Amino acid sequence: TSESGSGGTLYLSGGSSIHGDGGDMMTTSGSSTTGSGGNVALLSGSGELSGGSMSIESGSSGNTGGSLNLLAGKNVGEKSTGSGGSVTVRSGSSTKSESGELVMESGAGSSSGLVTVGTGTSTDGTSGVISFSTGHASHGSSGSMILSVGSSAAAGKGGSLEMSA
């Protein structure tokens, strides 16, 4: 804690290795047999000029980069009618200016990676809905929606856009 300077830094890391695998790092909350499991909160600090940033990045490799999995909890109760956990990814709001951007894209490469948006399979009912919409505007114009495929500068063809019901 500091009154006029910067607050202290906290580093948590698994051990390094020259010939073997690096050490793991694990953060877990407590379990409960009859109540709710504990929460884990990762928060960056607030500030007058700018809030602190948070980066979650998997490791690089000369072979295959590490994966990053963000998973909500399953409902595993045999007689439970509850749902699985939700995943919400939302940019920051703003009262005086634009909200933050939300960008989902695959990385660059000799061939770029696949981006898939889909709902899960239903075993007893209706599968999920995918909804794309722009926001409502109280004053001014609402946002546009653009679906486009890439062009090809070389001998290949431009991408296709297919829609079916």
Side-chain angles (χ1 to χ4, degrees):
T1 303
S2 172
E3 216 169 280
S4 59
S6 299
T9 303
L10 173 66
Y11 294 99
L12 298 173
S13 65
S16 300
S17 172
I18 295 176
H19 297 292
D21 295 335
D24 296 330
M25 187 178 82
M26 196 169 179
T27 301
T28 60
S29 62
S31 299
S32 171
T33 54
T34 58
S36 299
N39 298 320
V40 175
L42 298 174
L43 306 171
S44 61
S46 301
E48 181 67 26
L49 296 177
S50 176
S53 297
M54 183 179 296
S55 298
I56 300 175
E57 182 177 345
S58 60
S60 300
S61 169
N63 187 13
T64 302
S67 296
L68 179 61
N69 298 312
L70 182 61
L71 306 172
K74 302 174 186 176
N75 174 358
V76 295
E78 290 184 22
K79 297 182 180 178
S80 174
T81 57
S83 61
S86 298
V87 175
T88 302
V89 180
R90 180 182 294 131
S91 67
S93 58
S94 173
T95 55
K96 302 285 185 183
S97 185
E98 295 179 349
S99 66
E101 293 184 342
L102 178 61
V103 179
M104 286 193 335
E105 63 181 11
S106 62
S110 57
S111 291
S112 64
L114 178 69
V115 175
T116 302
V117 178
T119 66
T121 301
S122 172
T123 57
D124 186 27
T126 305
S127 66
V129 174
I130 296 178
S131 174
F132 293 104
S133 62
T134 62
H136 170 76
S138 300
H139 304 286
S141 301
S142 64
S144 300
M145 186 175 294
I146 300 169
L147 289 174
S148 62
V149 295
S151 59
S152 175
K157 300 187 304 185
S160 299
L161 179 61
E162 299 180 17
M163 301 178 88
S164 63

